[in-house]
Amino acid sequence: LRLEDEHGVFLLKGRASTFKTSLAGSVEGDSIRNETKPPKQPFFLLRHGQSAQFNVIFKPTLAQRLEGKIGLLVGDVCMTLVELVGEGHKDEFTLDGLKEDTQERNAKSSLRKDIIDAVRVNHIEFGHCPVGKRCRRTFTITNHTLTQVMRFEWEADTPFQFSPKVGHLHPGCAKGITVILKADVPATFRRHLVKCKVTKINFELPRRKVLDWDDQMCIVTWKDVTWKDPAARWPKREKV
């Protein structure tokens, strides 16, 4: 296996079961001749029916899209090529728990463009939902800053509803978001774009004295009513 990685951000690591059954040394035989020197390239002897499993780890050092390749060499011939694409970010505000859109692909596009486009899309797949019924999907938004409070607002209308739609996100905190799809008539939604407006805000009070808030929260007070049920031990209370 040959890992081509210009920036050194990808790591190809065999699993424990793979090393126990298959690892034989490097292509150059370094691990056989010198046990203290790590092999430059993983080299495996696979018997009939055997398989080898690997983890590919991405640890970006730059806030940009990074690429690499894994080549499978049999002798001197490259039999298979695996494209590696990752995107490093230092975003202050992120969406977590969303899927990459790997299904909506243009058959005429190249493999390289296809993979890159898929990585850049935050995608929610609702599937088939009954007409008139609410279908829910959830994900998380996160504020990665250390001191800055952020205000978020989803610019979405029927048939997609976000809950909460507007709110505050304190430093280092995350908040769950629910997306509800309710269609009153049969319809197909493909690549329906939804935007989230994020603004940095400041409070007059110290941040530690400001409570979390979103449009799903409310303050409820109760008061005693003037009449009393003869069978009740305490006055009846009602919500204000």
Side-chain angles (χ1 to χ4, degrees), residues 34-93:
N34 186 356
E35 295 181 356
T36 61
K37 185 178 180 180
K40 296 180 179 179
Q41 302 290 345
F43 174 60
F44 290 82
L45 296 177
L46 294 179
R47 296 180 175 84
H48 178 71
Q50 282 188 324
S51 63
Q53 295 181 332
F54 294 87
N55 291 328
V56 182
I57 301 171
F58 176 56
K59 187 177 181 181
T61 57
L62 300 172
Q64 66 182 52
R65 178 174 49 82
L66 301 164
E67 301 179 37
K69 297 179 182 178
I70 299 176
L72 173 61
L73 301 177
V74 179
D76 295 328
V77 181
C78 184
M79 305 292 292
T80 306
L81 192 64
V82 180
E83 297 274 355
L84 304 176
V85 179
E87 188 162 355
H89 69 81
K90 293 182 180 179
D91 296 337
E92 297 177 334
F93 180 89

Side-chain angles (χ1 to χ4, degrees), residues 99 123-130 135 137 160 181 187-189:
K99 297 181 179 179
H123 184 70
I124 297 180
E125 175 64 47
F126 277 88
H128 297 283
C129 299
C135 296
R137 299 292 184 270
F160 292 95
L181 169 62
T188 300
F189 303 95

